[in-house]
Amino acid sequence: MEESFENNRTIENKGLQFPWLIKMAWRDSRRNRSRLFLFVSSVILGIAALVAIYSLSNNLRQEIDKQAASLIGADLEITSNKPVSPALKGLIDSLGDRRSEERRFASMVYFPKGGGTRLIQVRALQGEFPYYGDLETNPVVVARTFRNEQQALVDQTLMMQFNATVGDSIKVGNVTFRIAGILISAPGQTGFSASVAPVVYIPLKFLKQTGLEQKGSNIGYRFYYKYDRPINIRQLTAGIEPRLEKEGLNYDTVESQKEDTARSFSDVTRFLSLVGFIALLLGCIGVASAIHIYVREKINSIAVLRCLGAKASQSFLIYLIQIVGIGLVGSVIGAALGSVIQQFLPVVLKDFLPIKIANNISWTAIGTGVLLGLIISILFALLPLVSIRNVSPLNTLRLSLQSTNLFKDPIKWLVYLLIVLFIFIFSSFQLKNWKQSVSFTIGVIVAFLILAGIASLLMWLVRRFFPSSWSYLWRQGLANLYRPNNQTSILIVSIGLGTAFICILFFIQTILLNRVTLSAGGNQPNIVLFDIQTSQKQDLLELAQKQGLPLNQTVPIVNMRLEAVNNITASTLQKDSSIKIQRWIFGREYRVTFRDTLSSSEKITKGKWIGKAGNPSEPVYVSLEERFANRNQIEVGDSMIFNVQGTVMPVVVGSLRQVDWNRVQTNFLVLFPTGVLEDAPQFHVLMTRVSSAAVSARFQQAVVKQFPNVSIIDLSLVLSILDQILSKIGFVIRFMAGFSIITGLVVLIASVVISKYQRMQESVLLRTLGANRRQILAITALEYFFLGAFAAFTGILLALAAGWGLAHYTFDTTFTPQLLPILVVFILICLLTVIIGLMNSRVVLIKSPLEILRQEV
Amino acid sequence: METILSLEGVSKMYQSAGNTLTVLDHISFSVDAGSTLAIVGPSGSGKTTLLGLCAGLDRSSSGSIYLHNIRLDELSEDRRAQVRNLYVGFIFQNFQLLPTLTALENVMVPLELRGEKNIRLRAVDLLNKVGLADRGHHYPAQLSGGEQQRVSLARAFSNKPQILFADEPTGNLDAETSEKIVKLIFDLNKEAGTTLILVTHDHELASKTGRIIRLKGGKMVSDEQTIAAQVE
């Protein structure tokens, strides 16, 4: 018998009939298009966020390539924080066809016209630097001419702050300069760096006269080189690197500057992309839950098609084609929206960027976005779509008794695997760190499983402890949680994951912002004087006392470099990547103090604090800040070798300390006992508190006049600048997190709106049986309230766990979530779920039951 | 006369909560091509299950079913779908029209599935025969119950089936509409020379067929010719 069928096969088997499938997909979508669009609306925002960020990072990369030379301003730059030794002088003077020299240091300046003083960065320049790009000045010509006379270029914010005009004078140390022009920007300078430390350029030949170049001053030495003939800079720097490194000098080339800038911005774009990815993941949840319910409603149509002779693959493909179509439309809209948003991102980020970015449309970003949107729509829709293959034609006669078991469908497992792979691959792509990607992927899976588990537990609990004595409305609302066609699992997972993502972003934002918040209130010092020479200390203290200022703290500071930890040096570190010490600990300068007691902001957590050094033959025990020690796996008892301006100083780690960095006072990574550093070259810091701006100005003027080399930080000014910076960073974070939050809300709305089709018929039947408006609303509100409350509660718990983990392991800080915002999120999610749920039932209430039953045919 | 359908010792069991539920128990009969047959019995007697098995919508637990000389219980679901598309027409109690397709498109679907060309005229002609030529562009929700069943009839005959299965075709209709639909079914059936197997509670409708098989508790309790058989 089978054979006769086989004989006819050539006539019968028409293949998949692709054109017909497309036609059917189109026909079937006609009455569902708005709903299908709702499915992908959540993808749109995720794609928009990613396309915007990708476009920005593409444009950034292009501009960095284009403008790298002007970031550094020369072919080669050599920097040092001490005067160049005679041994190196020959080399320094022999490089380049043209060369310029610069000294940089912080100093106070004084505006004689208005009497204002302020801490600025002095740049004493000689030569034609910059060779690439410009010192942007007004008038333009002074960028070149100021260096010939006793003239200065003054940063525009400084000019505005002191109401100065070109032609006025400015006093730097002992020398008064004529302001030749306004400095608008210098190579590689960002908006923020200018506001924190505004720059004043003076000709180098006047530096000595200013009297600011004293022993112990923190002066940076820079040498800029330009080659007029073609030269292999890489080869050149490779040749001189060992000599430079030996003397503690660094160098920078156009190429290395390009890499550094690209690297620092890849951090920014990585964070932003991750936020975009979370938005996209939320979108994925939206797609999966929406298609799940869509497919459930289509079971009857699929059964009819199967009855009429459609193959399982044909019915599956009809709906897959719909998803591809609508996914493509959604992705294109998302990419277009992303390209529009990208026009604004450079404006938002402009203060962070050292270069100007063009708002070019990035076709690569658009292409990636569209492709990604398409992949996501298909992948996350596949999970519910594959069950179409198992829809029996018998459903036309009655609902199939034998439902397909998930565990028996290997294709479903394959789809799950693909989804996990996708999350892992994409997060690796964003995070560029496979370990973090594994944690992220596991985190998402665990969150998913916990939510699914909570949903099952809720259904079990309600059924097990069903409150039979409660009123009908409560019973009906509760029973809806576990009865057939319930939406408990799908809504709890989607709303819960949405809530978790939103809260995690909120927590990260709080952690990031809290990290940099200073407590400036109370009687804390608000003026810091530094670079005080030992010889000036006493006179300065007297001056402060004369002005009636309290002396909160005077601290000696010694500059030193770290040469080795347990005999590991920078060069052994370079050769052996398995050593868990961060490389920067050898490159930097340590500002170290010495005292015999701990300050109020310090607490010993390990070892013992020894405040006084013993015999010269005994080891010197120092105390390290505990997080610095932990990050570099330095333990109590480990040995370290410091280089104190030429003198080698071996020490032993005696204790680890916890330091409250948020306190306004001098805090240190490394603390020496007394009896060791007293004779080392040092300067002093003095902290005091002034009661008003007028007292502050008077004191500052007196200090600048008497001690021109002493720098003053006015903390209230710093705090206001910091506040501006933080509000801008906060804005950037909120701007990007906004995408995820809005996507989360769209997913929430989509999930609940789609679920209305599940309850519609039931509500109509209740109406038909005589339920009034209030009763229908109460039943619906109760069901959605339970769903919203459980989902939001679980989501918040997950977010708290993730927030704690992130704070503890990633941001290395304490996690103190604020209860009020969490409560607000909880109430908002519950309210939103209930409101959208109630809006869904509106249709049932305003139309006649018959009308709806007819529509539902 | 040629046999279009034959069942030999067909049983259907379901597993439910560890228990085996026998819905059909050793059913055997055969149906001649072009004849009409009614399956009757009380609710839960296995009528619809039997119809589903005969039409290849489901697989029997044991026994064999031959439709147009093809052994259904050995075919995969996709192959059975092809068999349905080639030889079988369906009429359902709740019409089972595709809600997102117009009346005309619903009629065209079985032909499209066969990959046939120029089918619109044939579908229009069928709609004309059931008196709905002017409602071809309406969606099912815009049609009355009787009209929907007529579209369903046109669809059932569109692929010129060898055998037509009808599950309570008048179950959802009022008496007057039922009468019209029954007349239409029998007229179209006669005109096309199709075999008709219907499941019904309605004795009057059953008596219009040439043969009645009675089921009770999953067993065949009688198989008798009717007066209508003499007319056939």
Side-chain angles (χ1 to χ4, degrees):
Chain A
M1 296 292 173
E2 172 77 346
E3 277 166 22
S4 72
F5 182 63
E6 287 295 326
N7 293 340
N8 285 331
R9 245 185 106 193
T10 45
I11 315 163
E12 292 154 3
N13 200 344
K14 293 278 177 189
L16 287 173
Q17 296 177 278
F18 210 67
W20 177 76
L21 293 178
I22 293 175
K23 197 197 275 184
M24 273 306 286
W26 174 257
R27 284 171 178 169
D28 188 76
S29 72
R30 273 184 310 213
R31 308 200 82 193
N32 299 311
R33 244 164 249 164
S34 58
R35 281 173 63 198
L36 278 168
F37 191 72
L38 191 64
F39 300 168
V40 289
S41 57
S42 45
V43 170
I44 291 176
L45 285 173
I47 295 295
L50 277 183
V51 168
I53 293 156
Y54 287 166
S55 301
L56 176 81
S57 93
N58 283 351
N59 283 336
L60 247 174
R61 211 172 308 126
Q62 278 172 9
E63 293 300 326
I64 287 170
D65 279 352
K66 234 191 273 173
Q67 299 176 35
S70 64
L71 279 173
I72 163 168
D75 290 322
L76 173 67
E77 176 195 44
I78 293 179
T79 55
S80 168
N81 54 10
K82 57 185 183 202
V84 174
S85 68
L88 263 185
K89 187 89 171 81
L91 173 74
I92 294 290
D93 289 345
S94 67
L95 298 168
D97 292 330
R98 285 185 276 165
R99 57 191 77 95
S100 297
E101 195 177 334
E102 188 193 280
R103 309 273 158 81
R104 278 185 192 185
F105 54 93
S107 175
M108 298 302 288
V109 286
Y110 176 63
F111 286 86
K113 192 172 87 176
T117 55
R118 161 119 197 232
L119 181 69
I120 54 111
Q121 187 187 55
V122 176
R123 292 186 186 178
L125 183 65
Q126 174 184 289
E128 298 159 65
F129 177 83
Y131 301 104
Y132 301 103
D134 288 305
L135 287 179
E136 259 187 76
T137 56
N138 184 16
V140 177
V141 67
V142 298
R144 295 273 157 210
T145 58
F146 86 94
R147 26 199 137 184
N148 305 326
E149 312 281 336
Q150 193 169 321
Q151 292 180 339
L153 296 178
V154 179
D155 180 88
Q156 58 179 349
T157 53
L158 204 57
M159 294 288 279
M160 272 191 278
Q161 187 188 347
F162 293 101
N163 212 10
T165 51
V166 173
D168 288 353
S169 48
I170 180 169
K171 196 174 175 202
V172 182
N174 298 323
V175 181
T176 305
F177 294 87
R178 179 182 168 271
I179 300 175
I182 302 167
L183 177 68
I184 298 163
S185 88
Q189 190 181 10
T190 65
F192 275 148
S193 62
S195 62
V196 173
V199 171
V200 171
Y201 271 101
I202 59 167
L204 180 64
K205 59 184 173 188
F206 293 101
L207 179 62
K208 209 168 203 158
Q209 293 173 39
T210 62
L212 298 173
E213 205 179 14
Q214 296 182 14
K215 201 176 177 218
S217 303
N218 278 304
I219 296 182
Y221 296 79
R222 280 165 195 254
F223 304 91
Y224 301 103
Y225 302 98
K226 165 85 173 78
Y227 286 89
D228 296 326
R229 61 207 141 99
I231 186 165
N232 186 334
I233 293 278
R234 199 180 284 260
Q235 212 172 356
L236 173 86
T237 51
I240 60 171
E241 191 176 349
R243 284 182 68 191
L244 295 177
E245 203 164 80
K246 199 173 154 206
E247 298 270 342
L249 270 69
N250 294 316
Y251 71 88
D252 230 341
T253 64
V254 175
E255 223 26 67
S256 65
Q257 182 70 24
K258 205 192 284 186
E259 283 164 22
D260 287 350
T261 316
R263 199 179 306 127
S264 55
F265 283 99
S266 81
D267 288 345
V268 176
T269 47
R270 254 171 56 195
F271 168 72
L272 297 180
S273 312
L274 194 67
V275 176
F277 181 49
I278 289 180
L280 202 59
L281 265 185
L282 283 172
C284 296
I285 301 164
V287 169
S289 63
I291 301 296
H292 176 84
I293 293 172
Y294 183 64
V295 166
R296 237 199 245 181
E297 287 166 35
K298 288 287 177 185
I299 284 179
N300 203 48
S301 291
I302 297 162
V304 172
L305 276 172
R306 303 281 284 125
C307 219
L308 298 177
K311 291 181 197 163
S313 51
Q314 284 178 314
S315 3
F316 166 75
L317 282 171
I318 288 171
Y319 293 96
L320 184 66
I321 289 167
Q322 283 185 0
I323 301 304
V324 171
I326 205 75
L328 192 64
V329 172
S331 307
V332 169
I333 295 174
L337 186 64
S339 300
V340 173
I341 293 164
Q342 189 265 322
Q343 306 295 312
F344 300 105
L345 277 184
V347 182
V348 175
L349 294 168
K350 74 171 190 297
D351 285 334
F352 300 93
L353 305 172
I355 48 171
K356 291 195 178 78
I357 331 179
N359 296 334
N360 295 337
I361 296 230
S362 165
W363 291 107
T364 328
I366 291 176
T368 316
V370 171
L371 189 69
L372 206 61
L374 203 55
I375 292 174
I376 277 169
S377 309
I378 294 171
L379 195 58
F380 283 81
L382 265 184
L383 204 56
L385 279 185
V386 288
S387 48
I388 287 179
R389 294 157 33 258
N390 302 321
V391 172
S392 162
L394 208 58
N395 281 292
T396 48
L397 298 176
R398 61 160 64 106
L399 277 178
S400 177
L401 291 174
Q402 288 164 323
S403 61
T404 329
N405 190 336
L406 166 75
F407 296 96
K408 286 181 185 163
D409 192 349
I411 302 279
K412 275 210 165 174
W413 285 108
L414 182 69
V415 177
Y416 274 119
L417 187 72
L418 285 175
I419 288 174
V420 170
L421 261 179
F422 168 79
I423 295 175
F424 173 70
I425 290 171
F426 196 74
S427 56
S428 318
F429 185 62
Q430 302 295 332
L431 295 165
K432 308 257 190 284
N433 177 328
W434 72 268
K435 274 188 190 162
Q436 286 177 5
S437 311
V438 168
S439 317
F440 182 80
T441 312
I442 292 177
V444 173
I445 296 169
V446 168
F448 181 87
L449 291 177
I450 289 178
L451 283 163
I454 289 283
S456 304
L457 182 72
L458 175 64
M459 286 190 273
W460 182 82
L461 284 175
V462 172
R463 200 191 297 235
R464 174 78 181 75
F465 302 103
F466 193 75
S468 313
S469 57
W470 290 15
S471 79
Y472 168 73
L473 297 182
W474 279 87
R475 278 185 286 128
Q476 181 75 9
L478 271 173
N480 277 350
L481 295 174
Y482 65 80
R483 289 183 309 148
N485 265 347
N486 70 68
Q487 47 210 349
T488 307
S489 297
I490 197 86
L491 285 189
I492 284 196
V493 170
S494 53
I495 298 173
L497 275 182
T499 312
F501 279 135
I502 291 171
C503 288
I504 289 170
L505 273 177
F506 174 75
F507 291 152
I508 292 179
Q509 186 184 323
T510 319
I511 291 169
L512 285 177
L513 296 183
N514 279 349
R515 267 184 107 183
V516 279
T517 307
L518 291 173
S519 48
N523 286 321
Q524 297 225 34
N526 57 6
I527 292 267
V528 181
L529 289 86
F530 62 98
D531 271 350
I532 304 166
Q533 304 295 312
T534 309
S535 59
Q536 298 171 320
K537 190 178 150 193
Q538 203 47 45
D539 294 342
L540 195 68
L541 283 171
E542 279 167 21
L543 174 70
Q545 267 162 355
K546 221 184 275 173
Q547 299 235 358
L549 302 178
L551 298 177
N552 295 50
Q553 213 181 12
T554 61
V555 180
I557 290 177
V558 179
N559 285 341
M560 56 182 76
R561 278 171 176 271
L562 180 61
E563 296 224 317
V565 177
N566 292 329
N567 294 326
I568 297 163
T569 62
S571 58
T572 42
L573 198 61
Q574 207 163 18
K575 283 174 210 149
D576 186 353
S577 59
S578 66
I579 300 171
K580 299 275 183 251
I581 292 182
Q582 288 161 316
R583 209 178 155 203
W584 59 265
I585 71 164
F586 293 115
R588 57 169 289 175
E589 181 125 313
Y590 290 79
R591 307 244 151 97
V592 170
T593 195
F594 55 90
R595 50 181 140 86
D596 54 8
T597 47
L598 295 175
S599 74
S600 58
S601 63
E602 297 169 318
K603 203 170 89 188
I604 295 291
T605 53
K606 230 179 196 179
K608 196 179 156 210
W609 164 240
I610 299 162
K612 279 186 184 135
N615 288 329
S617 57
E618 284 175 22
V620 174
Y621 289 100
V622 297
S623 179
L624 300 188
E625 196 263 341
E626 66 168 353
R627 281 189 292 188
F628 167 75
N630 291 342
R631 265 200 298 270
N632 294 291
Q633 301 193 347
I634 304 175
E635 294 288 339
V636 171
D638 284 356
S639 69
M640 297 172 93
I641 297 172
F642 283 99
N643 184 329
V644 187
Q645 293 164 57
T647 311
V648 173
M649 171 84 62
V651 298
V652 174
V653 179
S655 62
L656 303 185
R657 277 139 51 253
Q658 197 178 53
V659 177
D660 179 4
W661 293 96
N662 285 345
R663 297 275 282 275
V664 180
Q665 63 182 59
T666 46
N667 284 318
F668 299 89
L669 292 179
V670 185
L671 180 62
F672 269 67
T674 54
V676 186
L677 296 173
E678 276 76 357
D679 293 332
Q682 57 191 266
F683 66 90
H684 300 264
V685 169
L686 183 146
M687 294 183 121
T688 185
R689 182 172 177 82
V690 293
S691 50
S692 68
V695 176
S696 171
R698 207 169 51 232
F699 179 58
Q700 287 192 43
Q701 276 177 26
V703 172
V704 171
K705 227 176 235 173
Q706 202 177 334
F707 311 99
N709 65 300
V710 172
S711 299
I712 306 169
I713 299 177
D714 185 342
L715 280 180
S716 56
L717 183 70
V718 171
L719 284 174
S720 83
I721 292 167
L722 206 60
D723 194 48
Q724 283 171 30
I725 296 173
L726 286 182
S727 69
K728 287 201 175 175
I729 293 175
F731 177 70
V732 174
I733 295 174
R734 271 189 288 271
F735 183 81
M736 293 316 300
F739 277 95
S740 299
I741 292 171
I742 295 171
T743 311
L745 292 179
V746 171
V747 172
L748 177 70
I749 293 169
S751 308
V752 180
V753 165
I754 291 155
S755 70
K756 86 172 178 189
Y757 300 95
Q758 298 284 308
R759 286 284 167 257
M760 180 91 86
Q761 205 157 18
E762 199 170 292
S763 298
V764 169
L765 282 175
L766 283 173
R767 279 273 278 166
T768 316
L769 294 173
N772 63 29
R773 186 191 172 86
R774 195 185 62 82
Q775 287 168 319
I776 300 270
L777 284 177
I779 291 168
T780 315
L782 282 170
E783 181 187 358
Y784 283 103
F785 171 75
F786 287 127
L787 287 172
F790 268 87
F793 182 70
T794 318
I796 286 170
L797 284 186
L798 286 171
L800 283 171
W804 178 86
L806 282 169
H808 195 75
Y809 296 108
T810 308
F811 296 107
D812 208 5
T813 181
T814 48
F815 180 54
T816 40
Q818 294 160 286
L819 277 178
L820 192 67
I822 294 176
L823 196 69
V824 170
V825 168
F826 177 78
I827 294 171
L828 272 181
I829 300 279
C830 291
L831 260 179
L832 209 63
T833 315
V834 170
I835 289 170
I836 302 163
L838 287 179
M839 277 165 66
N840 285 345
S841 327
R842 218 168 41 105
V843 187
V844 178
L845 298 172
I846 54 178
K847 288 186 178 177
S848 81
L850 189 66
E851 203 178 333
I852 296 164
L853 284 172
R854 286 288 292 277
Q855 273 178 358
E856 290 297 296
V857 171
Chain B
M1 200 174 268
E2 191 195 348
T3 300
I4 183 92
L5 176 75
S6 103
L7 286 79
E8 287 162 22
V10 171
S11 297
K12 180 73 186 174
M13 270 92 78
Y14 290 107
Q15 294 294 329
S16 175
N19 299 320
T20 305
L21 184 72
T22 305
V23 183
L24 287 175
D25 192 6
H26 286 90
I27 307 287
S28 302
F29 65 88
S30 56
V31 180
D32 292 338
S35 65
T36 56
L37 162 72
I39 301 170
V40 297
S43 295
S45 58
K47 305 185 294 292
T48 303
T49 307
L50 182 60
L51 183 87
L53 291 177
C54 294
L57 296 180
D58 198 6
R59 267 202 175 123
S60 59
S61 306
S62 63
S64 54
I65 302 168
Y66 292 89
L67 188 124
H68 202 256
N69 287 338
I70 299 163
R71 185 163 175 178
L72 291 182
D73 47 280
E74 286 182 347
L75 298 183
S76 68
E77 172 45 43
D78 272 352
R79 287 290 185 78
R80 280 187 273 131
Q82 279 179 280
V83 172
R84 290 195 293 271
N85 183 243
L86 284 171
Y87 306 118
V88 179
F90 287 100
I91 302 169
F92 302 97
Q93 180 177 3
N94 48 1
F95 325 130
Q96 298 288 20
L97 296 176
L98 293 166
T100 49
L101 269 58
T102 62
L104 184 67
E105 286 164 350
N106 262 292
V107 178
M108 283 157 60
V109 167
L111 300 170
E112 287 174 333
L113 270 167
R114 282 184 175 194
E116 290 191 17
K117 307 277 178 214
N118 307 320
I119 50 177
R120 179 171 284 268
L121 275 178
R122 223 157 90 201
V124 170
D125 183 45
L126 276 161
L127 277 179
N128 200 20
K129 276 186 181 162
V130 296
L132 289 174
D134 54 339
R135 310 295 300 270
H137 295 290
H138 286 79
Y139 287 98
Q142 296 164 325
L143 301 172
S144 70
E147 285 170 330
Q148 286 187 45
Q149 194 60 305
R150 279 192 275 164
V151 175
S152 159
L153 261 175
R155 181 179 69 183
F157 282 99
S158 67
N159 61 339
K160 296 183 180 156
Q162 301 279 333
I163 186 162
L164 186 67
F165 292 97
D167 179 29
E168 299 279 12
T170 57
N172 276 0
L173 301 172
D174 61 70
E176 196 181 329
T177 314
S178 293
E179 208 170 301
K180 285 180 190 163
I181 290 293
V182 168
K183 185 171 179 329
L184 210 50
I185 291 174
F186 280 91
D187 286 353
L188 285 168
N189 190 56
K190 200 167 186 180
E191 186 186 324
T194 314
T195 310
L196 173 67
I197 298 182
L198 57 85
V199 161
T200 184
H201 278 108
D202 183 348
H203 287 288
E204 200 184 322
L205 174 59
S207 64
K208 289 191 163 78
T209 63
R211 179 180 169 195
I212 297 176
I213 288 178
R214 279 176 216 284
L215 294 182
K216 196 172 179 185
K219 290 192 168 130
M220 209 166 105
V221 290
S222 72
D223 179 359
E224 52 201 41
Q225 303 286 317
T226 64
I227 303 165
Q230 292 159 14
V231 181
E232 272 179 15

